[in-house]
């Protein structure tokens, strides 16, 4: 009785969307509006609305309640401390955050100089090396992180590794895993409670479908 | 010294001003809620903006990185801008009001300050306004129910209709977590707090935890919703601690149900918010709008002991900014109608006195002509301009030739100013 009728989903554009569609279909969500070629950022479907967002922005929209539920990778959630529920792990978008560097580099580094780390995930990297008791200089870069050790900007990188192909082609290798990453359903703290009757069936269906994707 | 040109004039990030229209609306909500608290016997107190850190921190369960500390120059001690008012109330009761007979019922209205980490969540507000009560000295469920009912009535008197109260009890997750080995426990508690079942399972796998404790923890992540989850929970939670906690939730639920609030209630048995602080039934106020609870409260029977006067206690605080956000979201015409407002140009003092005595807000414009007065009235949202010849209504230019309203005519004037004639 208290619920607004429409459920608002924050959907990440890009890599994970293709893996997400079959799960959504199996959970009974109308995904047709998500596959239409269009530049519209809001797509309407029966009983819900999809917001198409840059993956990093999904938790922000859900935390503020601008969306009730969303799908996002754990890497984004690890980097910033969002206040969200994460009721379903979808088992898609699997990859890991890892420390990587030049194939012939010494790791852990010999003592004597502060380790330089280039990364898009400064907080994850800072926490990881702090937990190892390794002093590290964290260098924030926006992209093409692999370039950093090749050019001498940093000794190692902390980045997402999916197949390892990009690393191989650039003469880098993984030294150590930092965290396993999958895509999860996130829910607003209040939205999940006030719209429980509408959200719960989808969560249960998605839970049944999890990991079923290729 | 003139202000440095490199410093912006705007307040530091996370701090904000409230301009007249907004302040009027806020003040009206505050006045109605504080008045309500008073009618339940909660007496208002005012506490200092900062105190010695070691005093306040006894009663806090806030991430330490969120605290705004500084060295107080006079004593050289570390001081803390208050991030919460409850520990101050506890200090007052345990010291200055200690000799009064129980129960202590106090209310407060004030700002709290917290640092927001750059690495933290998206929200960055640092100054929040809280409206709250504390009820100290009553261990029985009547106090829990009274405080929750007061939270419900406070939201209603503010003008909110669509909101729910979510009940929890820290005893339930605490009992379930107590069986875990120490290194796993806090990680499992974090995962449970986020209802992150996959992460929780992973942690339990690492700990090699099987059987009953595992089943209970995983169930807790799903035990939320309508109050009937308490019945479902009884089939899963069989230990004495959990059963006692469920009994307490049920008792509070039933008391509130008898008072006609049953429809508003829901339950989350996996809620861990404030778990180091609360000791019994806790609750949150949920409404659409800000995306966060409007307020929260619950039983905290161990806090007063930290100030040297062990006593049972319960209370809650509403976040005024969130409450107003929810009111605006519901847009139910919650904003109070301001008194009639008039700009006066060249009007004799006795007339101004009559109007002001009658409750009309009158601002004089000594140096303006009628045209300027109208522009002023429009910008500052006055209802009408009064010149010697009579009133001109700002909204539609209508005129009323009644320069000196007699007592009985003030009501007619007010109705005219508000288009109610």
């Amino acid at each position: 009785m208290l619920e607004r009728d429409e459920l608002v989903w924050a959907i990440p554009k890009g890599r994970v969307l293709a893996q997400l569609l079959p799960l959504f279909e199996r959970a009974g969500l109308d995904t047709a509006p998500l596959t239409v070629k269009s530049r519209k950022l809001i797509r309407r479907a029966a009983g819900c609305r999809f917001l198409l967002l840059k993956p990093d922005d999904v938790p922000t929209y859900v935390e503020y309640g601008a969306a009730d539920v969303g799908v996002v990778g754990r890497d984004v959630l690890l980097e910033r401390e969002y206040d969200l529920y994460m009721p379903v792990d979808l088992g898609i978008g699997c990859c890991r955050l890892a420390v990587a560097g030049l194939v012939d580099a010494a790791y852990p580094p010999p003592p004597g100089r502060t380790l330089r780390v280039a990364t898009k995930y400064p907080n994850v990297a800072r926490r990881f090396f702090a937990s190892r008791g390794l002093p590290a200089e964290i260098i924030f870069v926006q992209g093409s992180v692999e370039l950093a050790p090749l050019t001498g900007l940093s000794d190692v990188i902390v980045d997402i590794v999916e197949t390892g192909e990009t690393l191989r082609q650039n003469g880098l290798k993984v030294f150590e895993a930092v965290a396993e990453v999958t895509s999860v359903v996130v829910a607003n703290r209040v939205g999940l409670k006030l719209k429980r009757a509408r959200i719960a069936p989808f969560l249960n269906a998605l839970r049944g479908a999890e990991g079923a994707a290729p | 010294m003139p202000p440095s040109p490199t410093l912006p004039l705007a307040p530091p990030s996370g701090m904000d001003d409230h301009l007249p229209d907004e302040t009027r609306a806020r003040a009206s909500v505050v006045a109605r809620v504080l008045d309500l608290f008073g009618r339940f016997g909660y007496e208002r107190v005012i506490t200092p903006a900062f105190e010695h850190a070691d005093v306040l921190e006894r009663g806090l369960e806030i991430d330490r990185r969120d605290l705004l500390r500084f060295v107080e120059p006079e004593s050289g001690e570390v001081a803390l801008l208050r991030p919460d008012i409850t520990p101050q109330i506890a200090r007052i009761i345990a010291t200055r009001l200690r000799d009064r007979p129980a129960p202590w019922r106090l209310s407060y209205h004030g700002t709290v300050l917290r640092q927001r980490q750059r690495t933290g969540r998206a929200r960055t507000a640092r100054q929040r306004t809280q409206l709250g009560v504390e009820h100290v000295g009553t261990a029985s469920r009547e106090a829990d129910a009274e405080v929750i009912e007061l939270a419900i009535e406070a939201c209603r008197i503010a003008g909110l209709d669509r909101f729910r109260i979510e009940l929890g009890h820290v005893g339930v997750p605490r009992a379930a977590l107590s069986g875990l080995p120490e290194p796993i426990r806090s990680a499992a508690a974090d995962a449970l707090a986020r209802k992150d079942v996959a992460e929780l399972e992973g942690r339990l796998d690492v700990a090699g935890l099987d059987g009953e404790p595992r089943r209970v923890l995983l169930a807790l992540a799903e035990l939320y919703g309508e109050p009937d989850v308490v019945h479902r929970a009884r089939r899963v939670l069989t230990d004495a601690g959990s059963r006692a906690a469920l009994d307490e939730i049920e008792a509070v639920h039933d008391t509130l149900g008898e008072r006609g609030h049953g429809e508003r209630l829901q339950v989350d048995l996996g809620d861990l918010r404030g778990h180091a602080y609360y000791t019994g039934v806790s609750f949150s106020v949920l409404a659409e709008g800000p995306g966060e609870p409007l307020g929260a409260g619950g039983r905290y029977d161990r806090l007063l002991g930290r100030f040297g006067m062990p006593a049972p206690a319960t209370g809650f605080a509403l976040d005024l900014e969130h409450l107003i956000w929810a009111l605006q979201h519901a847009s139910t015409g919650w904003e109070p109608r301001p008194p009639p407002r008039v700009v006066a140009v060249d009007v004799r003092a006795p007339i101004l006195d009559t109007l002001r005595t009658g409750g009309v807000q009158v601002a004089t414009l000594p140096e303006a002509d009628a045209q300027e007065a109208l522009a002023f009235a429009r910008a500052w949202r006055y209802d009408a301009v009064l010149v010697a010849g009579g009133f001109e209504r700002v909204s539609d230019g209508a005129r009323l030739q009644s320069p000196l309203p007699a007592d009985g005519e003030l009501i007619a004037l007010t109705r005219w100013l508000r288009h109610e004639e």
Side-chain angles (χ1 to χ4, degrees), chain B residues 38-331:
Chain B
R39 280 183 276 134
F40 277 71
Y42 288 80
E43 312 247 19
R44 188 170 166 206
V45 292
I46 296 174
T47 61
F50 64 86
E51 292 198 34
H52 290 130
D54 70 340
V55 174
L56 285 188
E57 286 177 13
R58 289 177 206 194
L60 290 182
E61 198 210 12
I62 293 172
D63 187 333
R64 297 208 158 215
R65 294 171 306 165
D66 284 351
L67 300 176
L68 286 160
R69 295 194 186 90
F70 63 98
V71 174
E72 208 261 308
E74 214 163 284
S75 62
E77 298 285 344
V78 177
L80 177 61
L81 295 177
R82 63 180 180 197
D84 193 5
I85 294 176
T86 303
Q88 301 186 303
I89 306 280
R91 173 184 58 73
I92 290 174
I93 291 171
T95 55
R96 303 177 65 185
L97 295 176
R98 189 186 188 111
D99 295 333
R100 304 234 182 135
W104 292 262
R105 284 189 175 95
L106 298 180
S107 73
Y108 58 85
H109 160 228
T111 55
V112 296
L113 284 144
R114 291 177 197 185
Q115 176 63 22
R116 285 296 192 194
Q117 299 297 312
R118 217 157 40 83
T119 62
R121 41 179 318 195
R123 285 175 190 278
T124 53
R126 291 201 274 184
Q127 176 165 300
R128 316 288 312 172
T129 309
Q130 291 193 336
L131 280 160
V133 303
E134 310 298 346
H135 182 136
V136 173
T138 307
S140 64
R141 282 151 203 171
E142 281 74 19
D144 298 287
E146 174 183 291
V147 159
I148 296 172
E149 180 163 36
L150 198 48
I152 293 172
E153 295 302 339
C155 291
R156 287 180 49 174
I157 211 161
L160 197 63
D161 180 38
R162 286 153 63 106
F163 65 93
R164 300 195 77 174
I165 300 291
E166 180 180 81
L167 300 176
H169 194 306
V170 71
V172 176
R174 196 179 280 154
L177 289 163
S178 66
L180 296 182
E182 186 54 65
I184 301 293
R185 198 184 302 160
S186 71
D190 281 352
L192 177 59
R194 293 192 302 265
K195 307 202 185 298
D196 188 345
V197 179
E199 170 77 11
L200 186 57
E201 275 182 319
R203 297 290 176 178
L204 299 179
D205 284 345
V206 171
L209 194 81
D210 256 327
E212 179 73 7
R214 181 191 184 93
R215 201 166 58 85
V216 167
L217 274 170
L218 292 175
L220 277 187
E222 307 277 343
L223 281 170
Y224 63 96
E226 297 303 316
D228 62 4
V229 299
V230 175
H231 301 301
R232 268 197 285 146
R234 285 193 187 279
R235 294 199 290 272
V236 186
L237 309 171
T238 49
D239 65 288
S242 298
R243 280 215 308 268
L246 292 177
D247 288 344
E248 284 179 32
I249 288 186
E250 215 150 45
V252 170
H253 171 271
D254 292 348
T255 307
L256 290 167
E258 285 159 23
R259 302 280 291 149
H261 302 304
E263 291 270 292
R264 294 203 183 274
L265 303 178
Q266 54 190 70
V267 172
D268 183 354
L269 294 174
D271 184 27
L272 272 158
R273 182 185 41 79
H275 65 282
Y277 175 82
Y278 291 119
T279 58
V281 173
S282 61
F283 68 100
S284 315
V285 184
L286 307 178
E288 295 215 347
E292 288 186 340
L294 309 188
R299 182 160 283 284
Y300 54 96
D301 287 348
R302 281 196 288 271
L303 178 62
L304 271 289
R306 294 182 208 162
F307 292 92
M309 189 194 96
T314 178
F316 74 91
L318 291 173
D319 180 306
L320 181 62
E321 283 80 23
H322 281 2
L323 175 59
I324 284 176
W325 191 335
L327 286 164
Q328 284 165 342
H329 184 90
S331 62

Side-chain angles (χ1 to χ4, degrees), chain A residues 1-4 60 62-65 68 74 79-89 123 126 184 188-196 203-204 207 210, chain B residues 63 65 118-124 162-164 166 193-199 222 224-225 232 263 266 268 273 286-293 325 329:
Chain A
M1 121 199 144
L2 292 170
E3 290 85 338
R4 193 172 54 191
T60 304
V62 178
E63 190 182 51
Y64 268 79
D68 301 303
R74 285 188 186 272
E79 176 59 19
R80 298 190 56 181
E81 298 162 35
Y82 296 99
D83 194 1
L84 293 168
Y85 289 128
M86 305 166 196
V88 183
D89 191 315
N123 295 316
R126 195 171 292 120
V184 295
N188 178 266
R189 270 183 71 187
V190 173
L192 181 66
K193 306 297 181 58
L194 291 183
K195 298 187 180 177
R196 168 104 167 118
L203 296 186
N204 289 333
R207 211 166 275 142
E210 84 192 48
Chain B
D63 187 333
R65 294 171 306 165
R118 217 157 40 83
T119 62
R121 41 179 318 195
R123 285 175 190 278
T124 53
R162 286 153 63 106
F163 65 93
R164 300 195 77 174
E166 180 180 81
R194 293 192 302 265
K195 307 202 185 298
D196 188 345
V197 179
E199 170 77 11
E222 307 277 343
Y224 63 96
R232 268 197 285 146
E263 291 270 292
Q266 54 190 70
D268 183 354
R273 182 185 41 79
L286 307 178
E288 295 215 347
E292 288 186 340
W325 191 335
H329 184 90

